[in-house]
């Protein structure tokens, strides 16, 4: 299978998964943040930190931001008093700290013997390069454990493949 076919196949998988989700799932994070604002009498959005990266709240409604409730491992609100101590002025409305299941899996992988192959837009990358990916540029992430699909990228033995898409294929 050539690279174009692989990229198109993976893109179609991401689109199918995204299209099959219930509409209410796509609003979970927005609803959570809105409830934080009401509960804490906030007039502005709190700072949103996803897996250690600051994310603009407005991007949740751009259409590319597909973080579903089942993708979230932990979510916690730091009240503004504590948030300002850590984040300075950016924490003036508090901070929503969110950890995804993918991030937890990455942490677990560093502690386990599982061998993971990382692929960015069809190209194999190192774990260090994977950790440096700009989270705001990601449009899809998929975990592949099917050996025949992994063999399309390498003849080496891997337990799983993490495929990250940051752009639409134009080839």
């Amino acid at each position: 299978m050539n690279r174009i076919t692989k990229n198109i196949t993976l893109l179609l998988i991401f689109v199918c998964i995204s299209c099959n989700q219930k509409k209410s799932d796509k609003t979970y994070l927005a609803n959570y943040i809105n409830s934080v604002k009401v509960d804490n009498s906030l007039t502005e959005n709190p700072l949103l930190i996803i897996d250690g990266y600051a994310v603009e709240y407005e991007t949740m409604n751009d259409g590319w931001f597909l973080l579903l409730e089942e993708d979230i491992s932990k979510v916690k609100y730091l009240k503004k008093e504590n948030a300002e101590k850590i984040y300075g002025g950016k924490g003036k409305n508090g901070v929503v700290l969110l950890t995804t299941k993918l991030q937890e899996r990455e942490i677990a992988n560093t502690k386990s013997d599982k061998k993971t192959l990382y692929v960015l837009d069809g190209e194999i990358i190192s774990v260090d390069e994977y950790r440096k990916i700009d989270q705001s540029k990601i449009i899809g992430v998929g975990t592949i454990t099917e050996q025949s699909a992994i063999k399309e990228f390498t003849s080496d033995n891997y337990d799983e493949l993490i495929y990250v898409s940051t752009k639409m294929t134009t080839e």
Side-chain angles (χ1 to χ4, degrees), residues 143-169:
T143 302
I144 300 168
T145 56
E146 170 110 18
Q147 288 301 309
S148 62
I150 295 171
K151 293 293 181 193
E152 295 294 328
F153 291 92
T154 182
S155 60
D156 295 340
N157 290 324
Y158 284 91
D159 299 311
E160 67 180 357
L161 180 145
I162 305 290
Y163 191 97
V164 181
S165 282
T166 60
K167 59 186 174 187
M168 301 295 268
T169 55

Short mmCIF file of all heavy atoms in Angstrom, two decimals, residues 143-169:
data_model
loop_
_atom_site.label_atom_id
_atom_site.label_comp_id
_atom_site.label_asym_id
_atom_site.label_seq_id
_atom_site.Cartn_x
_atom_site.Cartn_y
_atom_site.Cartn_z
N THR A 143 -4.81 5.26 17.47
CA THR A 143 -3.95 4.18 17.92
C THR A 143 -4.28 2.94 17.12
O THR A 143 -5.44 2.53 17.07
CB THR A 143 -4.15 3.92 19.43
OG1 THR A 143 -3.90 5.12 20.14
CG2 THR A 143 -3.23 2.82 19.91
N ILE A 144 -3.27 2.37 16.51
CA ILE A 144 -3.46 1.18 15.68
C ILE A 144 -2.69 0.04 16.32
O ILE A 144 -1.49 0.16 16.60
CB ILE A 144 -2.96 1.43 14.25
CG1 ILE A 144 -3.75 2.59 13.62
CG2 ILE A 144 -3.05 0.17 13.40
CD1 ILE A 144 -3.16 3.10 12.33
N THR A 145 -3.36 -1.09 16.57
CA THR A 145 -2.70 -2.25 17.15
C THR A 145 -2.68 -3.42 16.17
O THR A 145 -2.02 -4.41 16.43
CB THR A 145 -3.40 -2.69 18.46
OG1 THR A 145 -4.78 -2.93 18.18
CG2 THR A 145 -3.25 -1.62 19.53
N GLU A 146 -3.38 -3.30 15.08
CA GLU A 146 -3.42 -4.35 14.05
C GLU A 146 -2.04 -4.47 13.39
O GLU A 146 -1.54 -3.52 12.79
CB GLU A 146 -4.48 -4.00 13.01
CG GLU A 146 -4.45 -4.86 11.80
CD GLU A 146 -5.62 -5.79 11.73
OE1 GLU A 146 -6.62 -5.56 12.42
OE2 GLU A 146 -5.50 -6.76 11.00
N GLN A 147 -1.43 -5.63 13.51
CA GLN A 147 -0.07 -5.83 13.02
C GLN A 147 0.07 -5.62 11.52
O GLN A 147 1.06 -5.07 11.06
CB GLN A 147 0.43 -7.23 13.41
CG GLN A 147 0.73 -7.38 14.88
CD GLN A 147 1.79 -6.39 15.35
OE1 GLN A 147 2.86 -6.28 14.77
NE2 GLN A 147 1.48 -5.65 16.41
N SER A 148 -0.95 -6.01 10.75
CA SER A 148 -0.85 -5.83 9.30
C SER A 148 -0.81 -4.34 8.94
O SER A 148 -0.12 -3.96 7.99
CB SER A 148 -2.01 -6.52 8.59
OG SER A 148 -3.24 -5.96 8.99
N ALA A 149 -1.51 -3.50 9.68
CA ALA A 149 -1.48 -2.06 9.43
C ALA A 149 -0.14 -1.46 9.85
O ALA A 149 0.41 -0.61 9.15
CB ALA A 149 -2.62 -1.37 10.18
N ILE A 150 0.41 -1.93 10.95
CA ILE A 150 1.72 -1.45 11.42
C ILE A 150 2.80 -1.83 10.41
O ILE A 150 3.71 -1.05 10.13
CB ILE A 150 2.03 -1.99 12.82
CG1 ILE A 150 1.03 -1.42 13.85
CG2 ILE A 150 3.46 -1.67 13.23
CD1 ILE A 150 1.10 -2.05 15.22
N LYS A 151 2.69 -3.03 9.84
CA LYS A 151 3.68 -3.51 8.86
C LYS A 151 3.70 -2.65 7.59
O LYS A 151 4.66 -2.69 6.84
CB LYS A 151 3.43 -4.97 8.50
CG LYS A 151 3.65 -5.94 9.64
CD LYS A 151 5.11 -6.00 10.02
CE LYS A 151 5.34 -6.97 11.15
NZ LYS A 151 6.64 -6.87 11.75
N GLU A 152 2.64 -1.86 7.35
CA GLU A 152 2.62 -0.95 6.21
C GLU A 152 3.65 0.17 6.38
O GLU A 152 4.07 0.79 5.41
CB GLU A 152 1.23 -0.34 6.01
CG GLU A 152 0.16 -1.33 5.65
CD GLU A 152 0.38 -1.96 4.29
OE1 GLU A 152 0.93 -1.29 3.39
OE2 GLU A 152 0.01 -3.14 4.12
N PHE A 153 4.05 0.43 7.63
CA PHE A 153 5.00 1.49 7.92
C PHE A 153 6.41 0.98 8.19
O PHE A 153 7.38 1.69 7.95
CB PHE A 153 4.53 2.32 9.13
CG PHE A 153 3.31 3.14 8.85
CD1 PHE A 153 2.05 2.62 9.09
CD2 PHE A 153 3.43 4.41 8.32
CE1 PHE A 153 0.92 3.38 8.82
CE2 PHE A 153 2.31 5.16 8.05
CZ PHE A 153 1.05 4.65 8.29
N THR A 154 6.53 -0.24 8.73
CA THR A 154 7.85 -0.77 9.08
C THR A 154 7.81 -2.28 9.15
O THR A 154 6.77 -2.88 9.42
CB THR A 154 8.33 -0.21 10.44
OG1 THR A 154 9.63 -0.72 10.72
CG2 THR A 154 7.39 -0.58 11.56
N SER A 155 8.95 -2.90 8.93
CA SER A 155 9.04 -4.36 9.07
C SER A 155 9.43 -4.75 10.49
O SER A 155 9.40 -5.92 10.84
CB SER A 155 10.04 -4.92 8.06
OG SER A 155 11.32 -4.36 8.29
N ASP A 156 9.81 -3.76 11.31
CA ASP A 156 10.16 -4.03 12.71
C ASP A 156 8.92 -4.40 13.51
O ASP A 156 7.79 -4.09 13.12
CB ASP A 156 10.82 -2.81 13.35
CG ASP A 156 12.17 -2.48 12.71
OD1 ASP A 156 12.76 -3.38 12.07
OD2 ASP A 156 12.62 -1.33 12.85
N ASN A 157 9.12 -5.06 14.63
CA ASN A 157 8.00 -5.46 15.48
C ASN A 157 7.63 -4.35 16.47
O ASN A 157 8.46 -3.92 17.26
CB ASN A 157 8.34 -6.73 16.26
CG ASN A 157 8.41 -7.93 15.35
OD1 ASN A 157 7.65 -8.04 14.39
ND2 ASN A 157 9.31 -8.84 15.64
N TYR A 158 6.38 -3.91 16.41
CA TYR A 158 5.83 -2.91 17.33
C TYR A 158 4.50 -3.42 17.84
O TYR A 158 3.77 -4.13 17.15
CB TYR A 158 5.63 -1.56 16.63
CG TYR A 158 6.92 -0.81 16.40
CD1 TYR A 158 7.65 -0.97 15.23
CD2 TYR A 158 7.41 0.05 17.37
CE1 TYR A 158 8.84 -0.29 15.03
CE2 TYR A 158 8.59 0.74 17.18
CZ TYR A 158 9.30 0.57 16.02
OH TYR A 158 10.47 1.25 15.83
N ASP A 159 4.18 -3.04 19.09
CA ASP A 159 2.90 -3.43 19.69
C ASP A 159 1.77 -2.52 19.24
O ASP A 159 0.61 -2.94 19.18
CB ASP A 159 3.01 -3.40 21.22
CG ASP A 159 4.05 -4.38 21.72
OD1 ASP A 159 4.03 -5.54 21.28
OD2 ASP A 159 4.91 -3.98 22.54
N GLU A 160 2.10 -1.25 18.98
CA GLU A 160 1.08 -0.31 18.56
C GLU A 160 1.71 0.81 17.74
O GLU A 160 2.90 1.03 17.77
CB GLU A 160 0.33 0.28 19.76
CG GLU A 160 1.17 1.17 20.65
CD GLU A 160 0.40 1.73 21.83
OE1 GLU A 160 -0.80 1.50 21.95
OE2 GLU A 160 1.04 2.43 22.63
N LEU A 161 0.84 1.51 17.01
CA LEU A 161 1.26 2.65 16.23
C LEU A 161 0.35 3.82 16.61
O LEU A 161 -0.86 3.68 16.64
CB LEU A 161 1.09 2.33 14.74
CG LEU A 161 1.49 3.41 13.73
CD1 LEU A 161 2.08 2.76 12.49
CD2 LEU A 161 0.33 4.28 13.36
N ILE A 162 0.96 4.94 16.94
CA ILE A 162 0.20 6.16 17.21
C ILE A 162 0.34 7.02 15.97
O ILE A 162 1.43 7.43 15.60
CB ILE A 162 0.75 6.94 18.44
CG1 ILE A 162 0.81 6.06 19.68
CG2 ILE A 162 -0.05 8.21 18.68
CD1 ILE A 162 -0.51 5.68 20.26
N TYR A 163 -0.80 7.28 15.29
CA TYR A 163 -0.79 8.06 14.06
C TYR A 163 -1.38 9.43 14.36
O TYR A 163 -2.50 9.53 14.85
CB TYR A 163 -1.61 7.38 12.96
CG TYR A 163 -1.40 8.02 11.61
CD1 TYR A 163 -0.48 7.50 10.71
CD2 TYR A 163 -2.09 9.17 11.25
CE1 TYR A 163 -0.26 8.09 9.48
CE2 TYR A 163 -1.87 9.78 10.03
CZ TYR A 163 -0.96 9.23 9.15
OH TYR A 163 -0.74 9.83 7.94
N VAL A 164 -0.62 10.48 14.06
CA VAL A 164 -1.06 11.86 14.30
C VAL A 164 -1.20 12.56 12.96
O VAL A 164 -0.29 12.53 12.14
CB VAL A 164 -0.05 12.62 15.18
CG1 VAL A 164 -0.51 14.05 15.44
CG2 VAL A 164 0.20 11.89 16.48
N SER A 165 -2.37 13.19 12.75
CA SER A 165 -2.59 13.99 11.53
C SER A 165 -2.63 15.45 11.93
O SER A 165 -3.38 15.84 12.83
CB SER A 165 -3.92 13.64 10.89
OG SER A 165 -3.83 12.45 10.18
N THR A 166 -1.83 16.25 11.24
CA THR A 166 -1.84 17.68 11.48
C THR A 166 -2.27 18.46 10.26
O THR A 166 -2.40 19.67 10.31
CB THR A 166 -0.45 18.20 11.93
OG1 THR A 166 0.49 17.91 10.91
CG2 THR A 166 -0.04 17.58 13.24
N LYS A 167 -2.47 17.77 9.15
CA LYS A 167 -2.89 18.45 7.93
C LYS A 167 -3.67 17.49 7.05
O LYS A 167 -3.55 16.28 7.18
CB LYS A 167 -1.68 18.99 7.18
CG LYS A 167 -0.66 17.93 6.79
CD LYS A 167 0.58 18.55 6.18
CE LYS A 167 1.63 17.48 5.95
NZ LYS A 167 2.89 18.00 5.52
N MET A 168 -4.47 18.06 6.19
CA MET A 168 -5.22 17.27 5.24
C MET A 168 -4.25 16.87 4.13
O MET A 168 -3.40 17.66 3.73
CB MET A 168 -6.36 18.08 4.64
CG MET A 168 -7.33 18.60 5.68
SD MET A 168 -8.20 17.29 6.50
CE MET A 168 -9.63 17.19 5.48
N THR A 169 -4.38 15.64 3.63
CA THR A 169 -3.50 15.21 2.56
C THR A 169 -3.91 15.87 1.26
O THR A 169 -5.10 15.96 0.95
CB THR A 169 -3.53 13.67 2.40
OG1 THR A 169 -4.87 13.26 2.21
CG2 THR A 169 -2.95 13.00 3.62
#
